[in-house]
Amino acid sequence: MFELDQFPPLSLLILPLLLVLLVNKILSPSQSSSYVLPKSYPLVGSFLAFRKHQKDFLQWIASILNSSPSSTFILKRPLGEQQIFTSNPANVECILKTHFSIYQKGASYSIALQDLLGHGIFNSDGHEWKFQRQVASHEFNTKSLRKFVDHVVDTELKDRLIPILSNAAKHRTVLDLQDILKRFAFDNICMLAFGYDPEYLAPSLPEAPFAAAFEEAVQISSQRLRSFFPFTWKIQRLLDIGSERKLRIAVSQVREFARTLVKRKKMELADYEGNSLPESNLDLLSRFLASGHVDEHFVTDIVISFILAGRDTTSAALTGFFWLLSKNPRAEEEILKEITPKRNGGGCNTEQQQSVFDEVRHLLYTHASLCESMRLYPPVPVDDKEAIADDVLPDGTEVKKGTRVAYHPYAMGRSEKLWGKDWPNYRPERWLERETTAPNSAAAEGEVEEGKRKFIQRDPFSYPVFQAGPRMCLGKEMAFLQMKRVVAAVLSRFRVVPLVADDFEPVFVPNLTTMMKGGFPVRIEERMNNVKW
């Protein structure tokens, strides 16, 4: 047999290696209880770990962040590149507000989404972004929001959504609620932003080539963003093969639809040549065209961006909400207690009732319930930026120019540091507190009067579901009003019953916005003594 002492050079190599492996084994924390970074290798970085977690990438990154002492970690990418992920509120504030000028969409993000979004508001920086935001802001004042809720949303509910749900309840038809909500949101955003009704939620639930193309374009564009080796999709695009060929065809259909909307609106505006457009006819697209920006390609980019915002985010939020509510009947009962008096209390004289806009604004528990569902299932689970200069985040993480930095609302909503040990529980009450009130003289002696509930505003950098800082979502209030109106109208008349196994856990796919994998199959049950909203 060979002895190690016969080969001193070999022993000098092996013994230190064995020692390192032994120490590493002893000191390495267990995967389940401690902070463990994904292994990194020369040239390929953490590609092997990334490949292993492709199907649960969102949850994987969230678990690393929530076990990290600083709520930040650096993912090693190929060829020495790095990507920083953070769920630290101080870092989020730095990215979205304090050093806003440093953290922009950046080249890698913009190039990946260029084919679909062009230079739209969600894929631009600097002057282009400021201009689009300034023009769009006029569409989200109180007058416009009241018109949107009282007319656009209410009409879509009464004429389309409620009859479809009622028919499904009558015939015990299974519906994909996620698809229904996307159709509803698509009709709404087209009416609000472009003054056009696509009738996507017509009773026949028509096939819409645009919607299918849009879905595919969003999915493939999202895959570009998540790609560990971006050169692979760039080669496919150059050769016009694989998913890139599908993307080209899908984007062509999407842009053709958007161009049709722009041409139709230009013709409408031409009829008012020399006269100002009536206020009732003003919409987002009209404002952009009236501002002097008539470049068809640029305005088409704007149209596509606002379809993405209005269609996908609201439907994603409502899908997560109805799923969580189905598992939490007590919260559903609280919502029913809130919405029933508001509609019954108005009596039969509609002239004495508040407008729908005013009613939904004051649905406090419903508002809290939506905030809580978006905490667990944020419509935009991760947001990516790129540093255009060197920086240091508040937790000490060094950021080099060109580094991608992503903050992670999904991980933040599941953080024990931010929400306590009961973070897994769906509990709308965490958003509410009781006001202290003076005792009522009419109350019985010794009786403690319970004050009214009030909503607790959360720090937007701990709950960045609607972003924060200069890029705070313009449509935040509109989204809440729309969602609360839908919740009140649906729950006052129906129960939504998911058709899934008891131990089913939904998988939310992180495209540009989240979507429930496989759809959301439900059966609709009509309530006894329902109250019509």
Side-chain angles (χ1 to χ4, degrees):
M1 291 182 62
F2 293 108
E3 300 291 337
L4 280 178
D5 58 3
Q6 291 179 301
F7 301 93
L10 185 61
S11 64
L12 290 174
L13 289 174
I14 292 177
L15 288 176
L17 180 60
L18 291 174
L19 183 62
V20 168
L21 291 173
L22 180 63
V23 171
N24 185 60
K25 182 71 176 176
I26 295 171
L27 296 181
S28 289
S30 65
Q31 186 81 16
S32 59
S33 61
S34 301
Y35 176 46
V36 179
L37 286 169
K39 289 184 178 180
S40 176
Y41 301 93
L43 296 180
V44 297
S46 296
F47 171 70
L48 296 180
F50 169 81
R51 185 177 177 82
K52 179 182 177 182
H53 291 282
Q54 270 188 306
K55 292 184 178 179
D56 66 340
F57 184 74
L58 189 66
Q59 295 79 7
W60 175 55
I61 296 295
S63 68
I64 297 173
L65 286 171
N66 286 332
S67 63
S68 163
S70 64
S71 299
T72 301
F73 91 97
I74 299 173
L75 180 68
K76 305 291 186 179
R77 297 179 67 87
L79 303 178
E81 289 190 8
Q82 298 180 342
Q83 182 173 9
I84 298 170
F85 287 90
T86 187
S87 58
N88 184 324
N91 289 348
V92 176
E93 183 173 9
C94 177
I95 294 164
L96 297 182
K97 182 182 177 183
T98 316
H99 292 175
F100 172 76
S101 60
I102 291 177
Y103 297 97
Q104 301 191 1
K105 291 294 183 181
S108 58
Y109 187 98
S110 298
I111 291 170
L113 300 184
Q114 182 74 38
D115 291 334
L116 176 60
L117 298 182
H119 296 278
I121 191 169
F122 301 117
N123 200 38
S124 59
D125 293 302
H127 176 72
E128 283 183 335
W129 166 74
K130 287 180 181 178
F131 164 72
Q132 292 178 66
R133 186 175 176 88
Q134 183 180 16
V135 174
S137 65
H138 296 292
E139 203 60 33
F140 296 99
N141 57 47
T142 301
K143 185 176 180 180
S144 296
L145 291 174
R146 183 184 293 274
K147 175 186 172 184
F148 173 64
V149 174
D150 284 350
H151 299 287
V152 176
V153 178
D154 214 45
T155 300
E156 184 79 2
L157 274 168
K158 291 177 179 177
D159 294 349
R160 292 177 185 166
L161 182 59
I162 296 302
I164 286 172
L165 297 182
S166 184
N167 186 65
K170 180 180 178 181
H171 298 286
R172 296 187 59 77
T173 307
V174 177
L175 293 176
D176 178 357
L177 188 59
Q178 180 170 247
D179 176 62
I180 296 294
L181 292 170
K182 281 187 176 183
R183 291 171 180 269
F184 176 85
F186 180 56
D187 283 357
N188 272 260
I189 191 61
C190 284
M191 286 295 295
L192 170 74
F194 320 125
Y196 167 72
D197 183 5
E199 300 183 49
Y200 190 31
L201 193 62
S204 62
L205 299 179
E207 289 293 327
F210 164 81
F214 193 83
E215 198 81 55
E216 186 162 48
V218 168
Q219 181 182 351
I220 297 174
S221 297
S222 301
Q223 290 171 358
R224 281 180 171 186
L225 275 180
R226 294 197 301 269
S227 174
F228 223 65
F229 297 105
F231 69 85
T232 57
W233 68 257
K234 292 178 181 179
I235 291 173
Q236 286 190 47
R237 182 176 63 174
L238 182 65
L239 299 176
D240 193 31
I241 59 173
S243 61
E244 286 299 310
R245 178 179 174 80
K246 293 178 181 178
L247 178 63
R248 178 180 59 78
I249 295 170
V251 166
S252 176
Q253 291 178 272
V254 169
R255 299 194 76 83
E256 182 58 35
F257 175 85
R259 276 194 295 269
T260 300
L261 290 180
V262 174
K263 289 175 182 176
R264 181 183 285 112
K265 184 59 64 176
K266 283 183 176 180
M267 291 175 62
E268 182 183 326
L269 293 174
D271 293 338
Y272 291 93
E273 189 172 359
N275 301 301
S276 58
L277 193 67
E279 183 68 26
S280 60
N281 286 35
L282 273 178
D283 52 48
L284 188 67
L285 183 52
S286 301
R287 293 185 191 278
F288 276 109
L289 292 172
S291 71
H293 282 260
V294 293
D295 177 76
E296 189 174 287
H297 191 82
F298 179 60
V299 180
T300 298
D301 293 345
I302 294 169
V303 167
I304 293 170
S305 286
F306 279 94
I307 289 175
L308 174 67
R311 171 185 177 265
D312 287 17
T313 54
T314 306
S315 59
L318 284 171
T319 298
F321 168 81
F322 280 112
W323 160 251
L324 286 167
L325 205 67
S326 71
K327 309 296 286 184
N328 293 274
R330 186 192 58 77
E332 184 173 3
E333 285 300 317
E334 287 294 320
I335 293 174
L336 289 171
K337 287 178 187 177
E338 179 175 65
I339 63 180
T340 302
K342 288 192 179 295
R343 185 46 56 140
N344 282 340
C348 296
N349 186 349
T350 56
E351 291 182 357
Q352 294 176 348
Q353 292 184 5
Q354 291 179 303
S355 73
V356 174
F357 173 80
D358 291 319
E359 287 181 323
V360 297
R361 285 182 73 185
H362 298 103
L363 294 177
L364 198 66
Y365 191 89
T366 306
H367 191 98
S369 300
L370 288 162
C371 288
E372 181 71 347
S373 63
M374 287 189 287
R375 174 180 71 84
L376 292 167
Y377 297 116
V380 181
V382 187
D383 191 23
D384 226 11
K385 308 290 183 186
E386 185 175 307
I388 63 169
D390 291 353
D391 194 24
V392 179
L393 295 175
D395 67 359
T397 303
E398 292 186 3
V399 183
K400 296 297 182 183
K401 179 181 177 180
T403 301
R404 289 169 63 182
V405 182
Y407 68 94
H408 210 287
Y410 181 88
M412 297 178 81
R414 293 156 187 271
S415 167
E416 184 176 323
K417 297 174 189 174
L418 297 178
W419 302 98
K421 291 186 177 181
D422 71 338
W423 72 260
N425 300 336
Y426 178 72
R427 193 169 65 82
E429 287 77 10
R430 75 175 77 243
W431 296 85
L432 302 168
E433 67 180 13
R434 294 287 181 183
E435 292 180 329
T436 54
T437 58
N440 190 328
S441 58
E445 185 177 351
E447 183 178 325
V448 178
E449 188 171 26
E450 193 177 54
K452 292 182 179 179
R453 282 171 168 160
K454 68 176 182 179
F455 185 78
I456 304 172
Q457 291 289 351
R458 296 283 179 169
D459 169 16
F461 306 107
S462 299
Y463 181 75
V465 169
F466 292 92
Q467 289 219 34
R471 278 191 184 262
M472 170 71 81
C473 176
L474 283 171
K476 177 181 177 180
E477 187 177 356
M478 184 196 80
F480 271 119
L481 290 169
Q482 181 183 11
M483 290 189 293
K484 288 193 284 186
R485 178 69 183 100
V486 171
V487 170
V490 172
L491 292 184
S492 63
R493 294 191 57 161
F494 307 104
R495 286 186 66 239
V496 177
V497 184
L499 292 181
V500 294
D502 291 338
D503 60 349
F504 172 78
E505 280 298 324
V507 175
F508 282 82
V509 182
N511 290 331
L512 296 180
T513 57
T514 54
M515 60 178 292
M516 190 182 287
K517 186 178 181 180
F520 186 23
V522 302
R523 203 179 292 282
I524 305 297
E525 296 179 357
E526 193 140 10
R527 296 186 190 276
M528 301 295 291
N529 304 317
N530 63 58
V531 179
K532 295 181 180 179
W533 263 73

